[in-house]
């Protein structure tokens, strides 16, 4: 997992907009970060605080060494993703230990390998967001749960509660792992005192999470971009769920109070199913919110591979049959190689803030006006502010930091139009053609003024964005001064 996480970690130095938000928030002072979280993104507050501490160390040590060697963009990309690589490596180790404890050493080995080879795991191992860390914490909480069920100790239940609380504070939907753990405890028919200990631990986690959950409901408009679940994400889950259920049919000799199937299947199925049920009330489903469900699949698949017959003897045919499981893992890795290569390219993400910044730098001239449309695309400037120096953000009223927001606040439409008409040239960083258009006053004013008072000079299309230079209409011929 560590090798796969480090392979292509730069992704050609591309940083997509969610990672740019992480970079921006992590580089705000703690008072500024707190002021922002009171208005937006409080659900990621702990993660931003942890990344603030990480970048304080990284920017003073490893970052300055990587910048001259590979470029500033490479240093930014690596700094954003190294914590996720480390977290997913810890998650893979936890899956392997779980598999070994539940079904034996061979099952643990294959479970860890299956987990590391899953494309969705490799994707979020190289993403500057909290999902890899949440996955690692849930996996290790599951391991501590299994150990606590086998040999109950107060320290183990406290450790389980602490790991789950940390996961839930990093992302509230980690709480959906608790029903999966509860199902495992119920299926195992554990003694009453063990069930009661788990209930107290889970109840404590939910009680401590409740204030954050209640406060975050005030910021629920952040999920307004969600509609019905993405079909490809649903197809991925359905495929893994079906394969996991088939793998779970392979007999596994119980090695403790909680059997492998009793933990793997609830962890694989329940979090996603519950999130889909919540989405029927209000759209909330994104597969990364319950990324840890893949650990359930890896456990079931690892046990199935370990359960393949291992005949005794020394003949060539016998040796070949012994290699069936390792060969199967190698073949799956080879089949997935094109997907893995794609995940390490800028095309694997929605957009590329680095390419947007480079296009703006190359097309603009000092004194040009600058517009982001929609306004939330102002985050494209977060990781490379030097590429936007000398340009005047015509719509900006309050910067993201001073306004305590992610993207800053904008002037009323009339003020934006006045600033635009006073500009000779404007560089516009916008969504690509065909995307839904925001209908607020500011965005309508930007589009209408560009259409009636400016002409496009040149356009550069980059991943997930379009950078266009507009010139003010003037002269007898009505042309622009490009």
């Amino acid at each position: 997992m560590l090798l796969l996480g480090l392979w292509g970690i730069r992704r050609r130095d591309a940083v997509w907009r969610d990672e740019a938000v992480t970079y921006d928030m992590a580089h705000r002072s703690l008072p500024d970060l707190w002021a922002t979280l009171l208005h937006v993104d409080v659900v990621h507050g702990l993660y931003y605080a942890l990344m603030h501490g990480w970048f304080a160390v990284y920017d003073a040590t490893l970052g300055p060494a990587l910048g001259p060697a590979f470029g500033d963009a490479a240093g930014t990309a690596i700094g954003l993703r190294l914590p996720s690589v480390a977290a997913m490596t810890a998650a893979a180790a936890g899956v392997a230990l779980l598999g070994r404890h539940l079904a034996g050493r061979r099952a643990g080995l294959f479970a860890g390998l299956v987990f590391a080879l899953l494309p969705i795991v490799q994707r979020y191992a190289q993403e500057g967001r909290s999902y890899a860390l949440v996955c690692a914490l849930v996996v290790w909480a599951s391991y501590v749960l299994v150990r606590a069920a086998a040999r109950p100790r107060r320290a183990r239940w406290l450790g389980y509660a602490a790991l789950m609380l940390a996961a839930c504070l990093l992302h509230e939907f980690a709480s959906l792992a608790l029903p999966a753990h509860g199902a495992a405890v119920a299926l195992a028919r554990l003694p009453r005192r063990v069930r009661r200990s788990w209930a107290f631990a889970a109840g404590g986690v939910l009680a401590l999470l409740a204030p954050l959950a209640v406060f975050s409901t005030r910021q629920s408009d952040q999920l307004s971009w969600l509609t019905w679940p993405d079909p490809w994400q649903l197809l991925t889950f359905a495929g893994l769920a079906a394969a996991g259920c088939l793998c779970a049919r392979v007999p596994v000799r119980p090695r403790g109070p909680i059997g492998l199937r009793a933990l793997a299947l609830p962890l694989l199925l329940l979090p996603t199913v519950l999130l889909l049920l919540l989405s029927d009330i209000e759209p909330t489903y994104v597969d990364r919110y319950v990324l840890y469900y893949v650990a359930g699949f890896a456990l079931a698949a690892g046990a199935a591979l370990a359960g393949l017959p291992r005949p005794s003897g020394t003949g060539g045919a016998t040796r070949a049959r012994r290699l069936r499981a390792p060969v199967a893992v190698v073949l799956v890795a080879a089949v997935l190689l094109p997907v893995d290569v794609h995940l390490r390219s800028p095309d694997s993400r929605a957009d590329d803030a680095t390419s947007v910044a480079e296009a703006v730098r190359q097309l603009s001239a000092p004194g040009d006006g600058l517009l982001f449309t929609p306004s939330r695309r102002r985050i494209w400037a977060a990781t490379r502010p030097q590429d936007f120096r000398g340009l005047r953000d015509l719509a900006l009223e309050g910067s993201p930091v001073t306004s305590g927001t992610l993207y800053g606040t904008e002037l009323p439409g009339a003020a934006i139009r006045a600033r635009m008409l006073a500009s000779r040239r404007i560089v516009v960083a916008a969504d690509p053609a065909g995307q839904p258009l925001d209908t607020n006053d500011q965005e309508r004013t930007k589009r209408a003024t560009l259409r009636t008072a400016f002409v496009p000079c040149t356009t550069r299309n980059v991943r997930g964005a379009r950078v266009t230079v507009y010139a003010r209409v003037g002269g007898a011929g009505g042309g622009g001064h490009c």
Side-chain angles (χ1 to χ4, degrees), residues 456-475:
C457 298
T458 183
T459 296
R460 182 169 300 179
N461 293 306
V462 298
R463 176 64 183 171
R466 178 179 50 180
V467 179
T468 304
V469 177
Y470 287 85
R472 183 81 165 86
V473 173

PDB file of all heavy atoms in Angstrom, residues 456-475:
ATOM      1  N   PRO A 456     -14.612  37.944 -26.983  1.00  0.00           N
ATOM      2  CA  PRO A 456     -13.569  37.001 -26.595  1.00  0.00           C
ATOM      3  C   PRO A 456     -12.361  37.104 -27.528  1.00  0.00           C
ATOM      4  O   PRO A 456     -12.519  37.187 -28.745  1.00  0.00           O
ATOM      5  CB  PRO A 456     -14.257  35.645 -26.707  1.00  0.00           C
ATOM      6  CG  PRO A 456     -15.364  35.851 -27.686  1.00  0.00           C
ATOM      7  CD  PRO A 456     -15.807  37.276 -27.538  1.00  0.00           C
ATOM      8  N   CYS A 457     -11.175  37.094 -26.947  1.00  0.00           N
ATOM      9  CA  CYS A 457      -9.944  37.162 -27.735  1.00  0.00           C
ATOM     10  C   CYS A 457      -9.317  35.781 -27.912  1.00  0.00           C
ATOM     11  O   CYS A 457      -8.983  35.386 -29.021  1.00  0.00           O
ATOM     12  CB  CYS A 457      -8.932  38.090 -27.057  1.00  0.00           C
ATOM     13  SG  CYS A 457      -9.489  39.793 -26.921  1.00  0.00           S
ATOM     14  N   THR A 458      -9.135  35.084 -26.821  1.00  0.00           N
ATOM     15  CA  THR A 458      -8.533  33.756 -26.877  1.00  0.00           C
ATOM     16  C   THR A 458      -9.044  32.927 -25.717  1.00  0.00           C
ATOM     17  O   THR A 458      -9.374  33.462 -24.650  1.00  0.00           O
ATOM     18  CB  THR A 458      -6.990  33.844 -26.817  1.00  0.00           C
ATOM     19  OG1 THR A 458      -6.435  32.549 -26.951  1.00  0.00           O
ATOM     20  CG2 THR A 458      -6.517  34.467 -25.513  1.00  0.00           C
ATOM     21  N   THR A 459      -9.136  31.649 -25.946  1.00  0.00           N
ATOM     22  CA  THR A 459      -9.643  30.721 -24.932  1.00  0.00           C
ATOM     23  C   THR A 459      -8.704  29.533 -24.814  1.00  0.00           C
ATOM     24  O   THR A 459      -8.191  29.035 -25.825  1.00  0.00           O
ATOM     25  CB  THR A 459     -11.052  30.216 -25.287  1.00  0.00           C
ATOM     26  OG1 THR A 459     -11.965  31.323 -25.293  1.00  0.00           O
ATOM     27  CG2 THR A 459     -11.536  29.182 -24.278  1.00  0.00           C
ATOM     28  N   ARG A 460      -8.476  29.111 -23.584  1.00  0.00           N
ATOM     29  CA  ARG A 460      -7.697  27.897 -23.355  1.00  0.00           C
ATOM     30  C   ARG A 460      -8.523  26.966 -22.478  1.00  0.00           C
ATOM     31  O   ARG A 460      -8.929  27.319 -21.371  1.00  0.00           O
ATOM     32  CB  ARG A 460      -6.368  28.205 -22.685  1.00  0.00           C
ATOM     33  CG  ARG A 460      -5.502  26.964 -22.470  1.00  0.00           C
ATOM     34  CD  ARG A 460      -4.100  27.331 -22.046  1.00  0.00           C
ATOM     35  NE  ARG A 460      -3.450  28.155 -23.047  1.00  0.00           N
ATOM     36  CZ  ARG A 460      -2.224  28.642 -22.928  1.00  0.00           C
ATOM     37  NH1 ARG A 460      -1.517  28.397 -21.829  1.00  0.00           N
ATOM     38  NH2 ARG A 460      -1.701  29.386 -23.870  1.00  0.00           N
ATOM     39  N   ASN A 461      -8.788  25.776 -23.001  1.00  0.00           N
ATOM     40  CA  ASN A 461      -9.517  24.763 -22.252  1.00  0.00           C
ATOM     41  C   ASN A 461      -8.532  23.866 -21.505  1.00  0.00           C
ATOM     42  O   ASN A 461      -7.597  23.330 -22.111  1.00  0.00           O
ATOM     43  CB  ASN A 461     -10.380  23.913 -23.190  1.00  0.00           C
ATOM     44  CG  ASN A 461     -11.513  24.712 -23.810  1.00  0.00           C
ATOM     45  OD1 ASN A 461     -12.298  25.328 -23.108  1.00  0.00           O
ATOM     46  ND2 ASN A 461     -11.587  24.725 -25.140  1.00  0.00           N
ATOM     47  N   VAL A 462      -8.731  23.745 -20.203  1.00  0.00           N
ATOM     48  CA  VAL A 462      -7.934  22.842 -19.381  1.00  0.00           C
ATOM     49  C   VAL A 462      -8.882  21.911 -18.662  1.00  0.00           C
ATOM     50  O   VAL A 462     -10.105  22.035 -18.782  1.00  0.00           O
ATOM     51  CB  VAL A 462      -7.057  23.622 -18.369  1.00  0.00           C
ATOM     52  CG1 VAL A 462      -6.068  24.526 -19.099  1.00  0.00           C
ATOM     53  CG2 VAL A 462      -7.914  24.454 -17.425  1.00  0.00           C
ATOM     54  N   ARG A 463      -8.329  20.963 -17.939  1.00  0.00           N
ATOM     55  CA  ARG A 463      -9.165  19.961 -17.283  1.00  0.00           C
ATOM     56  C   ARG A 463     -10.186  20.624 -16.354  1.00  0.00           C
ATOM     57  O   ARG A 463      -9.843  21.266 -15.371  1.00  0.00           O
ATOM     58  CB  ARG A 463      -8.290  18.995 -16.482  1.00  0.00           C
ATOM     59  CG  ARG A 463      -9.061  17.957 -15.680  1.00  0.00           C
ATOM     60  CD  ARG A 463      -9.835  17.025 -16.597  1.00  0.00           C
ATOM     61  NE  ARG A 463     -10.645  16.062 -15.841  1.00  0.00           N
ATOM     62  CZ  ARG A 463     -11.530  15.258 -16.391  1.00  0.00           C
ATOM     63  NH1 ARG A 463     -11.725  15.271 -17.702  1.00  0.00           N
ATOM     64  NH2 ARG A 463     -12.224  14.422 -15.655  1.00  0.00           N
ATOM     65  N   GLY A 464     -11.481  20.501 -16.703  1.00  0.00           N
ATOM     66  CA  GLY A 464     -12.551  20.982 -15.844  1.00  0.00           C
ATOM     67  C   GLY A 464     -12.706  22.483 -15.798  1.00  0.00           C
ATOM     68  O   GLY A 464     -13.385  23.000 -14.908  1.00  0.00           O
ATOM     69  N   ALA A 465     -12.105  23.218 -16.742  1.00  0.00           N
ATOM     70  CA  ALA A 465     -12.192  24.683 -16.696  1.00  0.00           C
ATOM     71  C   ALA A 465     -11.947  25.256 -18.087  1.00  0.00           C
ATOM     72  O   ALA A 465     -11.458  24.587 -18.996  1.00  0.00           O
ATOM     73  CB  ALA A 465     -11.189  25.254 -15.698  1.00  0.00           C
ATOM     74  N   ARG A 466     -12.287  26.547 -18.200  1.00  0.00           N
ATOM     75  CA  ARG A 466     -12.073  27.277 -19.450  1.00  0.00           C
ATOM     76  C   ARG A 466     -11.606  28.677 -19.079  1.00  0.00           C
ATOM     77  O   ARG A 466     -12.292  29.404 -18.347  1.00  0.00           O
ATOM     78  CB  ARG A 466     -13.384  27.330 -20.239  1.00  0.00           C
ATOM     79  CG  ARG A 466     -13.322  28.094 -21.550  1.00  0.00           C
ATOM     80  CD  ARG A 466     -14.669  28.050 -22.228  1.00  0.00           C
ATOM     81  NE  ARG A 466     -15.745  28.432 -21.298  1.00  0.00           N
ATOM     82  CZ  ARG A 466     -17.022  28.480 -21.638  1.00  0.00           C
ATOM     83  NH1 ARG A 466     -17.404  28.161 -22.841  1.00  0.00           N
ATOM     84  NH2 ARG A 466     -17.931  28.852 -20.738  1.00  0.00           N
ATOM     85  N   VAL A 467     -10.423  29.051 -19.561  1.00  0.00           N
ATOM     86  CA  VAL A 467      -9.857  30.368 -19.276  1.00  0.00           C
ATOM     87  C   VAL A 467      -9.921  31.186 -20.562  1.00  0.00           C
ATOM     88  O   VAL A 467      -9.348  30.802 -21.585  1.00  0.00           O
ATOM     89  CB  VAL A 467      -8.405  30.266 -18.776  1.00  0.00           C
ATOM     90  CG1 VAL A 467      -7.836  31.653 -18.500  1.00  0.00           C
ATOM     91  CG2 VAL A 467      -8.345  29.401 -17.514  1.00  0.00           C
ATOM     92  N   THR A 468     -10.622  32.326 -20.502  1.00  0.00           N
ATOM     93  CA  THR A 468     -10.840  33.155 -21.686  1.00  0.00           C
ATOM     94  C   THR A 468     -10.425  34.587 -21.391  1.00  0.00           C
ATOM     95  O   THR A 468     -10.731  35.120 -20.314  1.00  0.00           O
ATOM     96  CB  THR A 468     -12.324  33.134 -22.115  1.00  0.00           C
ATOM     97  OG1 THR A 468     -12.733  31.778 -22.327  1.00  0.00           O
ATOM     98  CG2 THR A 468     -12.539  33.931 -23.385  1.00  0.00           C
ATOM     99  N   VAL A 469      -9.759  35.208 -22.358  1.00  0.00           N
ATOM    100  CA  VAL A 469      -9.436  36.627 -22.283  1.00  0.00           C
ATOM    101  C   VAL A 469     -10.466  37.397 -23.108  1.00  0.00           C
ATOM    102  O   VAL A 469     -10.679  37.088 -24.283  1.00  0.00           O
ATOM    103  CB  VAL A 469      -8.020  36.908 -22.814  1.00  0.00           C
ATOM    104  CG1 VAL A 469      -7.730  38.411 -22.786  1.00  0.00           C
ATOM    105  CG2 VAL A 469      -6.983  36.159 -21.989  1.00  0.00           C
ATOM    106  N   TYR A 470     -11.120  38.365 -22.477  1.00  0.00           N
ATOM    107  CA  TYR A 470     -12.104  39.219 -23.147  1.00  0.00           C
ATOM    108  C   TYR A 470     -11.546  40.628 -23.271  1.00  0.00           C
ATOM    109  O   TYR A 470     -10.829  41.101 -22.382  1.00  0.00           O
ATOM    110  CB  TYR A 470     -13.405  39.277 -22.352  1.00  0.00           C
ATOM    111  CG  TYR A 470     -14.240  38.013 -22.416  1.00  0.00           C
ATOM    112  CD1 TYR A 470     -14.001  36.952 -21.554  1.00  0.00           C
ATOM    113  CD2 TYR A 470     -15.281  37.906 -23.335  1.00  0.00           C
ATOM    114  CE1 TYR A 470     -14.773  35.801 -21.607  1.00  0.00           C
ATOM    115  CE2 TYR A 470     -16.062  36.761 -23.390  1.00  0.00           C
ATOM    116  CZ  TYR A 470     -15.795  35.710 -22.527  1.00  0.00           C
ATOM    117  OH  TYR A 470     -16.573  34.583 -22.587  1.00  0.00           O
ATOM    118  N   ALA A 471     -11.902  41.304 -24.379  1.00  0.00           N
ATOM    119  CA  ALA A 471     -11.510  42.696 -24.571  1.00  0.00           C
ATOM    120  C   ALA A 471     -12.750  43.559 -24.696  1.00  0.00           C
ATOM    121  O   ALA A 471     -13.799  43.139 -25.216  1.00  0.00           O
ATOM    122  CB  ALA A 471     -10.659  42.824 -25.834  1.00  0.00           C
ATOM    123  N   ARG A 472     -12.611  44.775 -24.200  1.00  0.00           N
ATOM    124  CA  ARG A 472     -13.725  45.743 -24.222  1.00  0.00           C
ATOM    125  C   ARG A 472     -14.044  46.126 -25.648  1.00  0.00           C
ATOM    126  O   ARG A 472     -13.157  46.393 -26.467  1.00  0.00           O
ATOM    127  CB  ARG A 472     -13.331  46.996 -23.430  1.00  0.00           C
ATOM    128  CG  ARG A 472     -14.428  48.050 -23.303  1.00  0.00           C
ATOM    129  CD  ARG A 472     -15.384  47.658 -22.176  1.00  0.00           C
ATOM    130  NE  ARG A 472     -16.198  48.808 -21.806  1.00  0.00           N
ATOM    131  CZ  ARG A 472     -17.325  49.150 -22.401  1.00  0.00           C
ATOM    132  NH1 ARG A 472     -17.781  48.438 -23.416  1.00  0.00           N
ATOM    133  NH2 ARG A 472     -18.008  50.191 -21.984  1.00  0.00           N
ATOM    134  N   VAL A 473     -15.336  46.107 -25.995  1.00  0.00           N
ATOM    135  CA  VAL A 473     -15.755  46.531 -27.315  1.00  0.00           C
ATOM    136  C   VAL A 473     -15.506  48.027 -27.483  1.00  0.00           C
ATOM    137  O   VAL A 473     -15.809  48.821 -26.600  1.00  0.00           O
ATOM    138  CB  VAL A 473     -17.262  46.210 -27.527  1.00  0.00           C
ATOM    139  CG1 VAL A 473     -17.743  46.806 -28.837  1.00  0.00           C
ATOM    140  CG2 VAL A 473     -17.500  44.706 -27.488  1.00  0.00           C
ATOM    141  N   GLY A 474     -14.933  48.427 -28.599  1.00  0.00           N
ATOM    142  CA  GLY A 474     -14.662  49.845 -28.843  1.00  0.00           C
ATOM    143  C   GLY A 474     -14.320  50.064 -30.298  1.00  0.00           C
ATOM    144  O   GLY A 474     -14.110  49.137 -31.068  1.00  0.00           O
ATOM    145  N   GLY A 475     -14.244  51.324 -30.693  1.00  0.00           N
ATOM    146  CA  GLY A 475     -13.876  51.652 -32.056  1.00  0.00           C
ATOM    147  C   GLY A 475     -15.055  51.586 -32.996  1.00  0.00           C
ATOM    148  O   GLY A 475     -16.131  51.077 -32.682  1.00  0.00           O
TER     149      GLY A 475
END
